[in-house]
Amino acid sequence: MKKIYGIGVGPGDSELITLKGLNIIKRSSVIFIPRTQNESIALNIIKDYVKDKRIEYIDFVMGEDNFKRYEKASFIISSALKDNEEGAYVTIGDPMTYSTYIYLLKELKKLKVEVETIPGITSYNASFAALNIPAVLKGERMILCDGDIDDKILKLVDSICILKVNRKKNELIKILEKNNFEYFYVKRCSCEDEVILTNKDEILKDDEYMSLIIARRK
C-alpha cells in the first residue's frame, strides 16, 4: 500500500523541524512540495535535507479555493508513488492548523493512500516564544483566528493570535486598542530576517504575507 506522511516543518527556521519529521523526510522516496507562483517556503526550510531526493511539486494558485485542486494534487501524489513506497508532503507550520493539507488528506484517503500526520511548530507558538510572553497562563483563554475579530470575542479571551493580517491591519488594530490589548506584529517569524514591530504606523506600512499579530490584554 502507498503511504504519505504529512509533515509540518515549522515556521521558518530549519532547526525547528521535529526530529521525527526530519527522520521521515530523510527516508522517504519522494518529497512533495507545495508551491505558489514557483515559490515554496517549505522547500526553503528543508532544502539542506533533501539535496539527493526526488522532488515533486504541487502547485497551488494564490486565492484559488476549490476542491478540484485537491483532487488533482492527490492524484499527482498517488501516481508518483509505487506500491509499498513512502512519500512526504511537507507544509509550513503544523499540518492541521489552517493548512491546505487538511483538504488534501480527505482526497488521498479516497484514493486508498495510507496517511500519517506529523505535527509541527506553528508560527504563533514561535511568535509567543520570540516575544518572550505567555500564550496563556492558568485560568486564561486564547483564541486563534485567520480573519475578523469583534468586541464579543475579545471580551472572552486574554490572548489572541491573528494570522493573515496583511489586508486588514487597520481594522484589527482599532478593535484591539478599543479593548485594551497590547499588540505585536511579527513577520517571517524564526527566519533570519524576522522583524517584530510595535509602532502602529510601521505596522500599517508593512505588507508581508508571512505575518501575524499577537495580542495580550493589558
Side-chain angles (χ1 to χ4, degrees), residues 9 32-34 39-47 90-92:
V9 295
F32 297 95
I33 307 285
E39 293 185 3
S40 173
I41 298 169
L43 179 57
N44 289 337
I45 294 171
I46 65 167
K47 61 185 178 183
V90 296
T91 180
I92 58 173

Side-chain angles (χ1 to χ4, degrees), residues 6-194:
I7 301 174
V9 295
D13 183 342
S14 61
E15 293 186 334
L16 290 180
I17 304 174
T18 65
L19 184 58
K20 183 170 186 175
L22 180 58
N23 286 337
I24 292 172
I25 287 170
K26 287 180 176 180
R27 76 166 189 247
S28 293
S29 302
V30 190
I31 310 299
F32 297 95
I33 307 285
R35 67 179 178 180
T36 301
Q37 297 177 333
N38 293 322
E39 293 185 3
S40 173
I41 298 169
L43 179 57
N44 289 337
I45 294 171
I46 65 167
K47 61 185 178 183
D48 290 337
Y49 307 132
V50 295
K51 290 178 179 177
D52 59 342
K53 291 289 184 178
R54 177 184 160 200
I55 303 292
E56 292 282 344
Y57 291 100
I58 308 293
D59 289 303
F60 292 108
V61 179
M62 184 72 75
E64 182 185 86
D65 190 15
N66 61 69
F67 287 97
K68 289 293 182 184
R69 69 176 184 171
Y70 302 118
E71 288 180 357
K72 180 180 178 182
S74 62
F75 181 77
I76 291 171
I77 292 171
S78 179
S79 299
L81 290 173
K82 300 174 183 177
D83 285 335
N84 300 315
E85 196 170 36
E86 293 183 343
Y89 178 92
V90 296
T91 180
I92 58 173
D94 175 73
M96 292 302 191
T97 307
Y98 292 124
S99 171
T100 55
Y101 167 79
I102 298 168
Y103 307 102
L104 184 61
L105 176 63
K106 296 178 181 179
E107 299 303 320
L108 286 169
K109 288 180 177 179
K110 291 178 185 177
L111 296 176
K112 308 300 182 184
V113 176
E114 184 181 354
V115 183
E116 184 175 336
T117 304
I118 310 301
I121 296 172
T122 64
S123 58
Y124 71 90
N125 287 138
S127 293
F128 276 110
L131 292 165
N132 273 326
I133 62 174
V136 279
L137 297 171
K138 184 178 181 180
E140 291 185 344
R141 288 174 288 187
M142 185 189 88
I143 186 171
L144 172 68
C145 60
D146 71 340
D148 298 325
I149 55 174
D150 57 39
D151 297 319
K152 189 180 294 185
I153 290 174
L154 290 180
K155 283 179 172 60
L156 298 174
V157 300
D158 304 280
S159 298
I160 184 168
C161 176
I162 314 165
L163 307 177
K164 302 178 183 178
V165 297
N166 58 322
R167 294 181 182 176
K168 293 185 175 182
K169 291 195 295 287
N170 193 37
E171 308 167 34
L172 295 169
I173 288 173
K174 283 181 179 178
I175 296 174
L176 290 170
E177 289 178 339
K178 176 184 173 184
N179 287 273
N180 200 33
F181 275 75
E182 182 180 17
Y183 54 86
F184 307 86
Y185 176 84
V186 185
K187 70 174 183 177
R188 303 192 67 81
C189 182
S190 81
C191 299
E192 290 183 3
D193 54 350
E194 172 188 281

